[in-house]
Amino acid sequence: MRARGGSRTHRVFVDTSAQFSLADSRDQNFSLAHAIAIGLAQERAHLFTTNFVVAETHALLMTRLGREVGARFLAEIDRGSTTIVRVSAAAERRARAIIIQYDDKDFSLTDATSFSVMNRLRIGRAFTFDRNF
């Protein structure tokens, strides 16, 4: 997990890479992801993600691990305690500006919308294995 800022707020953004590592026992980060998830539960962190990350995670799981795993992820995220933030038009516009501003980086639109939402909600920590975070 890469974290920015203090842990006072206990707000953590969950990225696609973390979701995938939690779902795939063959993933190199599987054990670490589960240890981090346990730690976040123990500290009672409030987890956030976006509908863009949910869609990206579902597509990745379905493509790499099969339709059933993708469908199970969707059912579990709906039953879980992670808050799913809907990406607004304003957040998407800000994400596009981030992509243009950081032309030396290869942020995906999903990553950039995540940064936009994290900034708006003042979330300083991310559960991710993605170097862009």
Side-chain angles (χ1 to χ4, degrees):
M1 181 168 105
R2 299 194 180 129
R4 290 185 187 166
S7 61
R8 282 191 328 247
T9 62
H10 298 286
R11 290 177 160 205
V12 178
F13 188 86
V14 184
D15 185 45
T16 301
S17 60
Q19 299 282 11
F20 184 82
S21 293
L22 288 167
D24 184 1
S25 62
R26 297 168 297 173
D27 185 82
Q28 67 181 8
N29 294 313
F30 177 78
S31 295
L32 178 57
H34 279 271
I36 291 169
I38 290 167
L40 291 172
Q42 288 173 342
E43 75 176 57
R44 297 182 184 168
H46 187 161
L47 304 180
F48 292 83
T49 197
T50 66
N51 56 311
F52 277 36
V53 169
V54 170
E56 182 179 69
T57 302
H58 172 257
L60 184 63
L61 290 170
M62 191 173 63
T63 300
R64 293 197 185 165
L65 302 176
R67 184 193 175 289
E68 185 177 306
V69 175
R72 185 169 49 243
F73 164 74
L74 293 176
E76 288 173 2
I77 197 132
D78 282 344
R79 287 193 304 265
S81 60
T82 300
T83 298
I84 300 171
V85 178
R86 305 288 169 217
V87 174
S88 66
E92 189 175 345
R93 280 191 302 277
R94 175 68 185 126
R96 291 170 189 260
I98 289 169
I99 290 169
I100 292 166
Q101 179 181 357
Y102 295 95
D103 63 353
D104 62 326
K105 307 290 185 200
D106 58 352
F107 301 140
S108 70
L109 183 59
T110 297
D111 287 345
T113 58
S114 297
F115 304 151
S116 177
V117 168
M118 289 175 70
N119 185 52
R120 182 175 61 83
L121 297 179
R122 294 185 170 90
I123 299 171
R125 296 170 65 199
F127 179 12
T128 184
F129 297 103
D130 183 340
R131 64 179 172 79
N132 285 328
F133 279 81

